């Protein structure tokens, strides 16, 4: 919980009363690897914080294949923001990659906070703003970087990615085959 409070205080300072209110409504879950936090067709009704572990988002494409769209690691607040904000069913699956400790803040509780205190509204605005910046940055990378450049940027952004994420999921994220990823990795190693 301490890490969650630290992250939230980076967005907007909470006084002791706000911290206690948050502690009373946040639920902690220890989740094994391979468990779904959200499935396509469900409505995202919470904001999550990952204290330990890793999760990934994927969707099913027209050919019925899993397409990874995002990875989330320690210290991140996350959700399917479109589903959370609009109440429409999600198009994504969110699944743990490894055993994880996740804190859940239900929308109904957060909505009550938003009505009581503008600092909660500021927190949500800044959280949504950060999430949007990440999404736009990722879209820009996908549209302007080569697969090799995108892979290098991904590994630079998440230095322990290769130790935590199976290569086939990284390949899916880059929208290439596992064999294509192997070629990229060989080229990078041969350049050194």
């Amino acid at each position: 919980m301490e890490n969650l409070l630290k992250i939230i205080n980076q967005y907007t300072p909470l006084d002791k009363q706000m911290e206690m209110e948050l502690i009373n409504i946040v639920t902690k879950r220890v989740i094994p690897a391979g468990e779904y936090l959200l499935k396509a067709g469900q409505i995202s009704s919470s904001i999550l914080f990952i204290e330990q572990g890793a999760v990934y988002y994927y969707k099913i494409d027209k050919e019925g294949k899993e397409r990874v769209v995002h990875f989330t690691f320690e210290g991140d607040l996350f959700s399917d923001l479109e589903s959370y904000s609009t109440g429409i069913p999600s198009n994504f699956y969110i699944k743990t990659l490894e055993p994880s400790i996740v804190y859940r803040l239900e929308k109904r509780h957060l909505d009550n906070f938003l009505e009581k205190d503008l600092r909660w509204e500021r927190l949500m605005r800044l959280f949504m703003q950060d999430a949007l910046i990440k999404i736009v940055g990722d879209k820009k990378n996908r549209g302007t970087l080569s697969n090799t450049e995108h892979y290098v940027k991904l590994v630079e952004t998440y230095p322990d990615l290769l130790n935590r994420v199976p290569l086939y999921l990284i390949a899916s994220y880059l929208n290439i085959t596992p064999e294509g990823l192997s070629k990229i990795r060989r080229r990078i190693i041969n350049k050194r």
Side-chain angles (χ1 to χ4, degrees):
M1 180 61 83
E2 208 172 290
N3 291 333
L4 173 58
L5 293 173
K6 192 183 302 181
I7 295 294
I8 289 175
N9 278 300
Q10 289 175 357
Y11 285 103
T12 189
L14 301 180
D15 60 29
K16 288 297 177 198
Q17 179 184 346
M18 291 175 76
E19 284 185 6
M20 289 310 297
E21 289 174 343
L22 183 65
I23 288 168
N24 287 331
I25 62 160
V26 170
T27 55
K28 176 182 177 180
R29 289 187 57 207
V30 178
I31 305 169
E35 186 169 311
Y36 288 95
L37 300 172
L38 183 71
K39 292 182 179 180
Q42 295 176 331
I43 295 172
S44 178
S45 62
S46 57
I47 300 289
L48 301 149
F49 171 76
I50 188 160
E51 180 174 69
Q52 180 183 320
V55 302
Y56 69 105
Y57 295 50
Y58 72 90
K59 61 182 178 177
I60 305 297
D61 69 13
K62 292 176 185 170
E63 290 84 40
K65 295 181 183 173
E66 287 185 15
R67 293 290 178 205
V68 175
V69 296
H70 187 65
F71 297 106
T72 299
F73 299 97
E74 288 89 357
D76 285 339
L77 290 162
F78 66 99
S79 183
D80 176 343
L81 294 177
E82 180 183 24
S83 177
Y84 177 87
S85 298
T86 63
I88 64 171
S90 178
N91 292 317
F92 300 103
Y93 295 84
I94 302 176
K95 189 175 184 180
T96 55
L97 275 166
E98 56 192 32
S100 300
I101 298 173
V102 174
Y103 291 92
R104 180 182 298 268
L105 177 58
E106 293 293 331
K107 186 177 189 335
R108 61 189 163 88
H109 294 304
L110 191 53
D111 286 347
N112 287 336
F113 284 170
L114 294 173
E115 290 176 18
K116 287 194 317 190
D117 193 319
L118 288 178
R119 289 176 291 184
W120 290 109
E121 200 163 284
R122 174 180 162 75
L123 170 68
M124 282 305 294
R125 181 180 53 80
L126 293 172
F127 166 62
M128 295 287 194
Q129 179 180 305
D130 277 359
L132 181 61
I133 289 168
K134 286 178 184 175
I135 291 166
V136 169
D138 188 54
K139 290 265 188 208
K140 187 168 62 172
N141 288 342
R142 287 177 189 259
T144 60
L145 299 179
S146 70
N147 288 334
T148 301
E149 292 168 327
H150 198 190
Y151 170 77
V152 168
K153 186 161 185 69
L154 184 65
V155 173
E156 286 172 353
T157 303
Y158 304 108
D160 63 344
L161 180 83
L162 297 174
N163 297 323
R164 301 176 73 184
V165 179
L167 292 177
Y168 76 93
L169 291 178
I170 296 171
S172 174
Y173 175 77
L174 296 170
N175 202 24
I176 59 176
T177 64
E179 296 79 18
L181 178 57
S182 292
K183 287 178 186 175
I184 288 170
R185 295 181 72 214
R186 263 195 310 277
R187 269 184 270 155
I188 292 169
I189 290 169
N190 290 336
K191 283 184 179 181
R192 291 182 183 166

